[in-house]
């Protein structure tokens, strides 16, 4: 089921359900090669969400700032390849939301445990801001905060469940967004975790 969150932003409820088991398997494969880690912001704040990446470039943050890099800073090796299952589903979701020809080259994988959160932010480190963002939810439900073009805009609180996808671009491409502290629970597949795949055309 499709529903509009704002001009340019669409929730595709349950869109990933048929592929969810395969997506989880690929997450485990990626994490075996590039383990989850808690990165630090340029201000030195340790993020509560654990992260890893796959694709031609990975999103990283440290004292030097926010950026994409082709190498995993922990290992010095290239990030794992972007799984075909990720790229195919992201392109299908983007098309369903009105964004054709989306070809992601990067996927940030966030792992939430109860209490972990993501503060309001914009995704603006990508080279072409005309390309949409595709965000896939797996595991525990979460409250997705989707705001406006200013940080001060009051965000919507959108319930996201296992298999839901949010796509935003166009007028909503630089809208502020985040995730409220994750409530405790037990998911049949991922236990006390939520996994979020954020696919982008970064380079």
């Amino acid at each position: 089921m499709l529903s509009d969150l704002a001009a340019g932003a669409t929730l595709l409820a349950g869109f990933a359900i048929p592929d969810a088991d395969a997506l989880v398997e690929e997450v485990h494969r990626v994490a075996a090669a590039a383990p989850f880690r808690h990165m630090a912001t340029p201000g030195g704040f340790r993020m509560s969400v654990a992260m890893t990446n796959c694709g031609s470039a990975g999103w990283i943050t440290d004292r030097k700032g926010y950026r994409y890099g082709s190498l995993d800073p922990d290992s010095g090796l290239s990030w794992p390849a972007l799984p075909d299952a990720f790229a195919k589903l992201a392109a299908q979701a983007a098309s369903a939301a009105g964004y054709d020809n989306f070809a992601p080259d990067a996927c940030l994988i966030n792992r939430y445990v109860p209490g972990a959160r993501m503060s309001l932010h914009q995704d603006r480190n990508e080279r072409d801001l005309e390309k949409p963002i595709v965000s896939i939810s797996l595991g525990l439900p979460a409250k997705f905060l989707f705001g406006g073009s200013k940080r001060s805009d009051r965000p919507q609180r959108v319930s996201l469940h296992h298999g839901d996808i949010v796509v935003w671009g166009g007028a909503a491409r630089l809208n502020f967004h985040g995730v409220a502290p994750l409530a405790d629970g037990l998911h049949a597949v991922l236990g006390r975790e939520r996994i979020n795949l954020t696919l982008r055309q970064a380079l």
Side-chain angles (χ1 to χ4, degrees):
M1 187 175 77
L2 278 66
S3 56
D4 291 336
L5 302 181
T10 302
L11 167 62
L12 293 83
F15 196 91
I17 287 292
D19 301 289
D21 289 347
L23 298 178
V24 170
E25 288 182 11
E26 291 291 3
V27 168
H28 291 323
R29 184 188 64 78
V30 169
F36 284 101
R37 77 290 306 264
H38 293 272
M39 298 187 193
T41 66
F45 175 74
R46 179 181 182 272
M47 300 184 73
S48 63
V49 175
M51 300 177 173
T52 188
N53 290 277
C54 57
S56 300
W59 185 87
I60 53 179
T61 173
D62 56 21
R63 290 284 191 175
K64 298 177 183 177
Y66 305 115
R67 63 195 183 281
Y68 283 95
S70 61
L71 302 180
D72 179 345
D74 284 7
S75 67
L77 302 175
S78 297
W79 294 105
L82 182 69
D84 289 342
F86 288 13
K88 180 180 178 181
L89 179 60
Q92 291 172 341
S95 181
Y99 299 99
D100 292 328
N101 304 313
F102 178 58
D105 53 20
C107 179
L108 172 64
I109 306 175
N110 290 336
R111 184 182 67 193
Y112 293 77
V113 296
R117 62 186 291 273
M118 184 68 68
S119 60
L120 290 173
H121 65 282
Q122 296 170 302
D123 289 356
R124 59 183 313 132
N125 300 122
E126 296 73 37
R127 194 166 292 176
D128 184 357
L129 297 179
E130 296 298 314
K131 302 299 182 182
I133 302 293
V134 176
S135 177
I136 304 170
S137 291
L138 300 168
L140 286 176
K143 290 294 185 183
F144 179 56
L145 309 177
F146 196 74
S149 59
K150 302 188 295 293
R151 188 185 296 275
S152 60
D153 292 336
R154 184 172 182 175
Q156 302 177 60
R157 294 175 64 90
V158 182
S159 295
L160 294 182
H161 300 274
H162 183 69
D164 289 350
I165 301 181
V166 180
V167 180
W168 66 95
R173 177 60 177 77
L174 291 177
N175 281 28
F176 281 85
H177 57 281
V179 176
L182 189 71
D184 203 354
L186 189 64
H187 187 265
V189 176
L190 287 168
R192 298 178 70 232
E193 292 182 353
R194 173 181 184 255
I195 297 291
N196 187 77
L197 312 177
T198 304
L199 289 116
R200 303 161 172 152
Q201 200 163 322
L203 302 180

